[in-house]
Amino acid sequence: MKILLVEDEPDMSRLLSSLLKDAGFVIDHATSIREAEEATRQIAYDLNLLDRRLPDGDGAELIPRIRALRPGARVMMLTALDSLTSKVAGLEAGADDYLTKPFQGEELVARVRACLRRPGSASLPLIRVGALSFDPETRSLAIGDKPFSLRRRELNLLEALIRRANRVVTREALLNEVFSAEDEVQANAIDTLVSRLRQRLTSSNADVTILTARGIGYMLTEDSA
């Protein structure tokens, strides 16, 4: 899942990005309301994580703009403004959650995951392809009845493919879901990552194949062999 972090303080941005990347999320970063609004026009983020004190205004002002552009967007405020009045104002502006600084990393990740779960929705079923299964809610993998672990970017890539199993996923879509806008991405980064993932899946007897649609992208399908 992809998060837009709107935070202008460099040290805090690095800390938040590190915590969330370690938890498996892809992070894009904006430092102002203007930058965040432009990013939201281009990408439908799963979650917008907003500071309130930004160089060009109160981050709460961004919430109605995000919702106008992306009606189903989820928004969480992360700010040092911790008075009851500030919390109420942020929630009434439309935030789904409001976490104040300082915070514990474990609580931040837990609150982000809770915010990403739509209230009252039914549990999502496992996605199964071959011997491989993926839990969309916990982002956990198994081959048969045994847990299967991947590195962060490998997991991001496999998630993008397995959610669209038996359909070609374009290289552009994969780049967008696997890497953040701040990553330095080599021209062959997706090809290298696909090659590594193929080896992991084959050696683990996942009974799946990643097919190449030359010049377009890749597709995950059940192994026909």
Side-chain angles (χ1 to χ4, degrees), residues 98-141:
Y98 194 105
L99 180 62
T100 57
K101 305 171 186 175
F103 57 87
Q104 295 295 322
E106 294 86 349
E107 181 183 7
L108 169 67
V109 172
R111 297 274 283 268
V112 164
R113 286 177 173 155
C115 196
L116 286 166
R117 292 194 293 269
R118 292 190 181 279
S121 61
S123 296
L124 296 174
L126 295 179
I127 302 172
R128 300 182 188 275
V129 183
L132 183 66
S133 62
F134 174 76
D135 187 330
E137 294 192 344
T138 63
R139 302 183 78 234
S140 58
L141 291 162

Side-chain angles (χ1 to χ4, degrees), residues 6-81:
V6 188
E7 168 65 63
D8 66 316
E9 207 284 314
D11 289 340
M12 179 59 68
S13 296
R14 284 190 289 270
L15 172 62
L16 291 170
S17 294
S18 177
L19 285 169
L20 293 168
K21 285 178 179 179
D22 287 346
F25 298 103
V26 177
I27 309 300
D28 280 353
H29 179 224
T31 60
S32 67
I33 291 173
R34 182 185 59 79
E35 285 183 9
E37 188 172 1
E38 181 57 32
T40 303
R41 290 183 188 278
Q42 297 178 25
I43 297 174
Y45 291 97
D46 297 289
L47 175 68
N48 300 271
L49 188 58
L50 310 180
D51 190 13
R52 289 197 62 177
R53 291 172 170 167
L54 295 169
D56 52 351
D58 185 342
E61 299 172 9
L62 184 59
I63 299 175
R65 304 185 198 181
I66 291 173
R67 292 272 161 70
L69 292 166
R70 308 288 181 183
R74 279 158 283 187
V75 178
M76 179 175 168
M77 308 220 74
L78 181 60
T79 173
L81 297 177

Side-chain angles (χ1 to χ4, degrees), residues 69 72 84 108 150 207-208:
L69 292 166
L84 178 60
L108 169 67
L150 293 171
D207 296 334
V208 297

